[in-house]
Amino acid sequence: MNYVQLGKTGPSVSTLGLGCMGMSGMYGPSDRADGIATIHAALDAGINLLDTGDFYGMGHNEMLIGEALKGIDRDKVIISVKTGALRDVSGGFNGMDNRPAALKNFVAYSLQRLGVDYIDIYRPARLDQNVPIEDTIGVIADMIKAGYVRHIGLSEVGADTIRRAAAVHPIVDLQIEYSLISRGIEDAILPACRDLGISITAYGVLSRGLISGHWQKGDGQGKGDFRSHSPRFQGENVDRNLALVEALRKIAQDKGVSVAQIAIAWVAAQGADIIPLVGARKVERLEEALGSQGVQLSPADFAAIETAVPKNAAAGGRYPEAMLAHMDSEK
């Protein structure tokens, strides 16, 4: 495992991170034992970056990570927490609350559930349209002074918001979706981050399994599964997107690697400041993702991949239109 500094002022992180959301639902039933085993396997392999959100499973994910980290040297793990999303008893989402008083409350609960004294990277999950980003970053900066947080990150915000946030306090990374079929950050967001020395922690590198090479038409359509209402998994979009996967599969086979490995390697190859987050829920999927670390892409490979999966080739948006309308990163 290799390591890089996150942003200009951040910690040293593994060049592959583990996104833990799926261990607490969102993609169908999850298994607690599998989740803990996967976290342990990731740490054993040298992955030190664990990503979660206080609203994943309404606290379940943080408690799962807390259980998995018992007896492990705290300083060897980088815990990234997203906050601010409001949920109801049925699991639905009720907007964002990034008011300073709310974030002080949320961080207290996260520390308790995780069983730690500090959070390495704390970030608003989305922009709260009712709260200036300066206020949100300011209160997290206060948490750093108090010792509860080490660094500040952002998630799914646009270039203007990134610049405003960075003017208040150093930002170590922007967490945002980035994959072969989700390349919207390349136009303005990625250049802004690079101007400011902010890294990218890329989630959705396999587009929620769609370009993993394992997903089959009809999977993931159960109640509570994000893919049951994700445009890319619906109707004619599915067939068009799976055709892209098959084109990518031919390239992967020629290199002797899996579709998932070449898709992850493509993201990682876009720059040392981009760290893919893989949402493995089982050890075997983690092991496959780890294999991407050894995949070297040649100029000919990049050209072939671009031909097979051109920019903007995906059918359907990465989120339902109603959600995209409220995302700062899409404006």
Side-chain angles (χ1 to χ4, degrees), residues 296-317:
Q296 299 295 321
L297 299 177
S298 68
D301 292 329
F302 282 115
I305 292 169
E306 190 68 28
T307 299
V309 189
K311 188 174 182 178
N312 301 321

Side-chain angles (χ1 to χ4, degrees), residues 111-133:
L111 292 169
Q112 179 71 24
R113 287 189 292 254
L114 288 163
V116 298
D117 296 325
Y118 64 91
I119 293 167
D120 296 278
I121 309 165
Y122 202 53
R123 71 183 81 241
R126 299 287 187 272
L127 180 67
D128 183 341
Q129 301 290 343
N130 298 314
V131 179
I133 191 63

Side-chain angles (χ1 to χ4, degrees), residues 40-63:
H40 287 166
L43 296 174
D44 289 343
I47 290 176
N48 70 346
L49 178 60
L50 302 181
D51 181 76
T52 185
D54 59 18
F55 51 94
Y56 290 171
M58 272 103 83
H60 174 276
N61 204 238
E62 288 182 322
M63 291 189 288

Side-chain angles (χ1 to χ4, degrees), residues 67-190:
E67 182 177 350
L69 294 182
K70 287 180 179 177
I72 292 173
D73 186 348
R74 170 68 184 91
D75 292 334
K76 293 184 177 180
V77 183
I78 304 298
I79 302 174
S80 166
V81 176
K82 291 181 290 297
T83 190
L86 303 177
R87 303 192 71 175
D88 59 31
V89 293
S90 66
F93 285 89
N94 285 329
M96 293 296 301
D97 188 352
N98 288 344
R99 294 172 301 142
L103 295 191
K104 289 179 181 179
N105 175 78
F106 296 151
V107 78
Y109 280 78
S110 285
L111 292 169
Q112 179 71 24
R113 287 189 292 254
L114 288 163
V116 298
D117 296 325
Y118 64 91
I119 293 167
D120 296 278
I121 309 165
Y122 202 53
R123 71 183 81 241
R126 299 287 187 272
L127 180 67
D128 183 341
Q129 301 290 343
N130 298 314
V131 179
I133 191 63
E134 290 84 357
D135 293 356
T136 300
I137 299 304
V139 73
I140 302 177
D142 290 341
M143 295 177 190
I144 291 176
K145 293 176 183 177
Y148 302 129
V149 171
R150 294 281 174 89
H151 305 281
I152 302 177
L154 295 169
S155 178
E156 286 289 356
V157 291
D160 180 62
T161 301
I162 293 166
R163 292 188 178 95
R164 288 171 55 194
V168 176
H169 190 278
I171 305 297
V172 297
D173 73 315
L174 170 70
Q175 188 175 124
I176 196 163
E177 186 168 0
Y178 187 45
S179 73
L180 269 169
I181 62 173
S182 296
R183 296 171 59 178
I185 72 169
E186 293 176 350
D187 297 330
I189 292 174
L190 181 55

